[in-house]
């Protein structure tokens, strides 16, 4: 089981604002921030569902190649809301909300590139009637 993960971003403040807005519809909030003076390396910000962050961004040279992160959500409506919010926050569309039956019949996802090109996804694995 994965406890936490994250990406390195080139513009920390811009990415913090992007993720605040993009992840809000799926229940994620900015929960913790630590400056380089505390981490001994760089500024970091942790997002998640309270009380624990599980997705972190850190200031630096962005990962190359960019990273793919998928957030599992409980409804297709959350996937749709994530996509709208991420685009409004300045993300670039990388796949509109919809079924991806090549993965499995109920795979409903949406993909957006963050400001550094990381492929951020929200996905619901439930049938529409159960979601």
């Amino acid at each position: 089981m994965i406890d936490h993960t994250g990406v390195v971003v080139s513009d920390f403040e811009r990415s913090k604002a992007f993720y605040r807005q993009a992840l809000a519809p799926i229940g994620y909030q900015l929960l913790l921030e630590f400056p380089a003076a505390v981490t001994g390396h760089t500024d970091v910000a942790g997002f998640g569902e309270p009380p624990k962050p599980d997705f972190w961004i850190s200031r630096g040279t962005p990962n190359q190649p960019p990273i793919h992160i998928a957030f599992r959500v409980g409804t297709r409506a959350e996937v749709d809301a994530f996509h709208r919010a991420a685009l409004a926050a300045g993300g670039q569309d990388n796949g509109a909300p919809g079924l991806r039956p090549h993965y499995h019949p109920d795979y409903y996802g949406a993909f957006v590139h963050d400001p550094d090109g990381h492929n951020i996804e929200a996905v619901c694995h439930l049938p529409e009637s159960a979601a």
Side-chain angles (χ1 to χ4, degrees):
M1 182 176 294
I2 297 170
D3 183 71
H4 59 276
T5 191
V7 295
V8 180
V9 300
S10 61
D11 185 328
F12 189 68
E13 295 303 322
R14 179 178 72 171
S15 291
K16 233 181 358 179
F18 169 80
Y19 282 108
R20 268 191 185 133
Q21 186 173 344
L23 299 179
I26 65 169
Y28 269 52
Q29 301 170 24
L30 176 60
L31 297 175
L32 286 174
E33 284 190 71
F34 298 111
V38 172
T39 68
H41 175 29
T42 191
D43 300 331
V44 299
F47 297 82
E49 295 176 311
K52 182 191 167 303
D54 56 21
F55 175 70
W56 292 84
I57 64 170
S58 59
R59 182 188 309 267
T61 302
N63 311 84
Q64 286 301 319
I67 305 268
H68 173 81
I69 303 284
F71 294 90
R72 185 181 322 140
V73 299
T75 69
R76 293 178 181 190
E78 287 176 291
V79 171
D80 298 343
F82 156 80
H83 190 257
R84 283 190 305 273
L87 293 179
Q92 298 297 310
D93 182 39
N94 192 35
L99 288 169
R100 297 331 194 257
H102 50 283
Y103 296 133
H104 67 73
D106 295 309
Y107 193 106
Y108 188 89
F111 305 81
V112 177
H113 285 145
D114 81 352
D116 288 296
H118 298 299
N119 186 23
I120 309 303
E121 174 186 4
V123 59
C124 178
H125 294 284
L126 302 172
E128 187 168 19
S129 60

